[in-house]
Amino acid sequence: MFSSRTLVLTLGIAFIILDQWVKLIALVALNNHSYVYGNQSVWLDLALSLNPGAFLSLGAGLAPWLKQLVFVVAVGVVCAWAIVWAWRHWQSAPVKASAAWFIAVGGLSNLIDRVFRDGHVVDYLVLNIGTLHTGVFNLADIAIMAGATVLVMDGITRPSKR
């Protein structure tokens, strides 16, 4: 029988494989095409974007050595720390550990892109609601944002210790 940690590890690896597979599909299917799903109020654009920066292309203009330091080395260190922290706190703080795990697996999948795709992350989704729209993102970004949202909500709703 699987332990909860074994199951989480398996699901994390499966998520990274799924995210990388979807990114490969996006690289092929969206290379010369884009698609729109939805209606005039809410719609999803599927369009390929190779992002050289972070969230909303922040840092895209940094010197190549600095981009490597920030987007590969620092992200790798943060992901490794999050994995170890989540693993150690799985029983004592399951909500925070799960959130850290989501951030780590999303970060690792985007890190794979950076290492094997010339410093770029494959993005392909844009959510539009009326005149508002998101930046271009991918499944790994959803995992990262979900983990961050859980951590923020946990911090807001949990009573402070005095």
Side-chain angles (χ1 to χ4, degrees), residues 40-128:
Q40 292 178 338
S41 300
V42 179
W43 68 98
L44 184 67
D45 288 332
L46 297 177
L48 182 63
S49 175
L50 298 177
N51 186 354
F55 177 71
L56 298 175
S57 294
L58 290 172
L62 293 174
W65 68 269
L66 188 53
K67 280 174 51 174
Q68 285 287 92
L69 182 66
V70 172
F71 296 138
V72 176
V73 176
V75 168
V77 167
V78 169
C79 288
W81 174 85
I83 289 168
V84 170
W85 191 93
W87 207 255
R88 288 183 177 165
H89 294 86
W90 201 255
Q91 299 297 327
S92 63
V95 171
K96 288 181 181 177
S98 298
W101 187 255
F102 271 76
I103 292 168
V105 297
L108 285 174
S109 193
N110 281 342
L111 184 61
I112 290 168
D113 283 10
R114 293 235 186 256
V115 170
F116 293 105
R117 294 196 174 92
D118 196 29
H120 294 87
V121 171
V122 176
D123 289 331
Y124 49 85
L125 298 167
V126 179
L127 179 61
N128 300 274

Side-chain angles (χ1 to χ4, degrees), residues 25-38 43-49 123-126 128 136:
I25 292 170
L27 284 167
V28 173
L30 301 175
N31 192 23
N32 294 315
H33 299 79
S34 63
Y35 302 93
V36 176
Y37 298 99
W43 68 98
L44 184 67
D45 288 332
L46 297 177
L48 182 63
S49 175
D123 289 331
Y124 49 85
L125 298 167
V126 179
N128 300 274
V136 188

